[in-house]
């Protein structure tokens, strides 16, 4: 699989690089960013954290705003940030920000016209890691994290693939997408009207049936404007309390949905992942 290097920047002794490649799964060109910590310069293979971003974001938002590279360089962890959806003139889209390009929701679409390209679940779980592990000095110790729509994606993917990830974490995740406006709109479009097909993409449905736990951390700002209508954090907290699943949910007073929130606690998340990646 050919990679086109779009940019590279020296960063905390390592490198931030941006690439484009053709995705056979998504049937289009895709872009991702990768931070390689300084440890790779000595030939060391390092573990990798996959970061899934939220609605409207690209591969650039987290890498430019979260301030994660300094700690990742210290810990010797690579970070991979894919785009949030297929993109292009011939790719199905919608005028609204919460459907179509920039809003892939990390599902495999089954409904036309979305099913021609929108298979972000397969891209994140299989195609992208295979590409990363072929072309970069990373090992197979993986963690996954994300924000908002990406927080939904990270937890859902980890719960469905516990053998692939040592740990998972999320900021402000859409915890119960089958019961919120964002999720209902996207799942109806991508998956159809049969709500039974939605359940495999909902963290609060998957978690009680998990056979192999993936240790997790969630931070939720209490000043988040989407908390009451879209995120359903209380539903997740209830399921965790009921099942005893090893997922810590922290409420952070005064914090909102922004990257200021992510930047404030990303060090905690990176150190959390590094601990389990090294185990």
């Amino acid at each position: 699989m050919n990679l086109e290097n779009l940019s590279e920047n020296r960063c905390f002794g390592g490198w931030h690089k941006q690439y484009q490649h053709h995705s056979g799964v998504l049937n289009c060109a895709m872009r991702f960013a990768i931070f390689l910590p300084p440890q790779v310069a000595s030939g060391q293979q390092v573990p990798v954290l996959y970061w899934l971003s939220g609605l409207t974001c690209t591969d650039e938002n987290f890498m430019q705003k979260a301030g994660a590279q300094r700690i990742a360089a210290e810990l010797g962890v690579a970070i991979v940030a894919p785009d949030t959806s297929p993109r292009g003139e011939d790719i199905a889209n919608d005028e609204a920000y919460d459907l179509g390009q920039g809003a892939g929701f990390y599902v495999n679409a089954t409904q036309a016209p979305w099913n021609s390209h929108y298979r972000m679940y397969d891209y994140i779980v299989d195609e992208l890691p295979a590409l990363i592990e072929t072309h970069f000095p990373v090992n197979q110790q993986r963690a996954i994290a994300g924000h908002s729509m990406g927080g939904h994606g990270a937890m859902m993917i980890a719960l469905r693939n516990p053998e692939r990830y040592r740990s998972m974490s999320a900021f402000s995740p859409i915890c119960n997408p089958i019961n919120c406006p964002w999720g209902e709109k996207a799942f109806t479009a991508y998956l159809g009207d049969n709500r039974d097909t939605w359940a495999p993409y909902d963290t609060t449905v998957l978690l009680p049936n998990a056979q192999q736990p993936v240790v997790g951390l969630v931070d939720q700002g209490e000043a988040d404007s989407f908390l009451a209508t879209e995120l359903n954090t209380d539903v997740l907290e209830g399921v965790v309390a009921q099942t005893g699943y090893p997922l810590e949910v922290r409420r952070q007073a005064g914090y909102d949905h922004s990257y200021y929130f992510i930047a404030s606690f990303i060090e905690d998340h990176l150190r959390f992942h590094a601990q389990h990646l090294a185990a």
Side-chain angles (χ1 to χ4, degrees), residues 66-121:
Q69 292 92 339
R70 178 178 63 85
I71 302 302
E74 173 194 328
L75 298 172
V77 175
I79 302 174
V80 173
D83 203 346
T84 54
S85 78
R87 295 183 193 267
E89 293 183 2
D90 298 328
I91 308 296
N93 200 10
D94 190 89
E95 293 182 355
Y97 75 95
D98 54 357
L99 185 67
Q101 296 185 32
F105 269 85
Y106 305 101
V107 304
N108 285 339
T110 59
Q111 306 299 302
W114 312 103
N115 56 350
S116 296
H117 298 281
Y118 284 74
R119 299 185 62 83
M120 287 297 293
Y121 177 88

Side-chain angles (χ1 to χ4, degrees), residues 36 68 113 133 135 154 184 218-219 239 242:
L36 295 169
E133 290 165 16
H135 291 277
E184 290 174 347
V218 169
D219 272 313
V239 173
Q242 183 180 25

Side-chain angles (χ1 to χ4, degrees), residues 133-154:
E133 290 165 16
T134 298
H135 291 277
F136 299 97
V138 301
N139 57 39
Q140 294 186 348
Q141 306 307 318
R142 312 178 195 95
I144 191 165
H147 171 230
S148 194
M149 177 185 73
H152 137 73

Side-chain angles (χ1 to χ4, degrees), residues 29-254:
M30 286 295 288
R31 199 173 70 185
F32 68 88
I34 184 168
F35 173 71
L36 295 169
Q39 289 81 356
V40 303
S42 61
Q44 180 178 341
Q45 288 192 322
V46 296
V48 58
L49 171 68
Y50 289 88
W51 174 270
L52 308 185
S53 291
L55 289 167
T56 76
C57 290
T58 69
D59 61 290
E60 295 181 339
N61 298 73
F62 175 79
M63 291 299 206
Q64 294 180 2
K65 296 180 179 181
Q69 292 92 339
R70 178 178 63 85
I71 302 302
E74 173 194 328
L75 298 172
V77 175
I79 302 174
V80 173
D83 203 346
T84 54
S85 78
R87 295 183 193 267
E89 293 183 2
D90 298 328
I91 308 296
N93 200 10
D94 190 89
E95 293 182 355
Y97 75 95
D98 54 357
L99 185 67
Q101 296 185 32
F105 269 85
Y106 305 101
V107 304
N108 285 339
T110 59
Q111 306 299 302
W114 312 103
N115 56 350
S116 296
H117 298 281
Y118 284 74
R119 299 185 62 83
M120 287 297 293
Y121 177 88
D122 283 351
Y123 178 70
I124 298 299
V125 173
D126 296 316
E127 187 178 31
L128 182 62
L131 183 153
I132 297 298
E133 290 165 16
T134 298
H135 291 277
F136 299 97
V138 301
N139 57 39
Q140 294 186 348
Q141 306 307 318
R142 312 178 195 95
I144 191 165
H147 171 230
S148 194
M149 177 185 73
H152 137 73
M155 293 196 296
M156 174 270 293
I157 285 172
L159 288 167
R160 290 180 59 168
N161 302 275
E163 74 286 352
R164 294 185 65 85
Y165 303 99
R166 292 291 188 92
S167 53
M168 63 180 180
S169 75
F171 290 84
S172 315
I174 305 172
C175 300
N176 182 208
I178 66 174
N179 289 311
C180 76
W182 277 341
E184 290 174 347
K185 177 179 180 178
F187 286 8
T188 299
Y190 298 146
L191 305 173
D193 294 327
N194 181 358
R195 295 177 70 97
D196 290 342
T197 66
W198 302 4
Y201 295 107
D202 189 299
T203 292
T204 64
V205 175
L206 294 168
L207 196 148
N209 300 309
Q211 300 299 309
Q212 180 180 339
V214 180
V215 64
L217 172 65
V218 169
D219 272 313
Q220 174 59 58
E222 292 190 328
D224 191 323
S225 60
F226 300 111
L227 179 56
T229 57
E230 301 286 2
L231 305 182
N232 290 331
T233 307
D234 57 333
V235 178
L236 177 64
E237 290 170 324
V239 173
V240 169
Q242 183 180 25
T243 61
Y245 194 91
L247 173 65
E248 181 181 5
V249 183
R250 309 190 304 190
R251 298 259 186 161
Q252 304 291 359

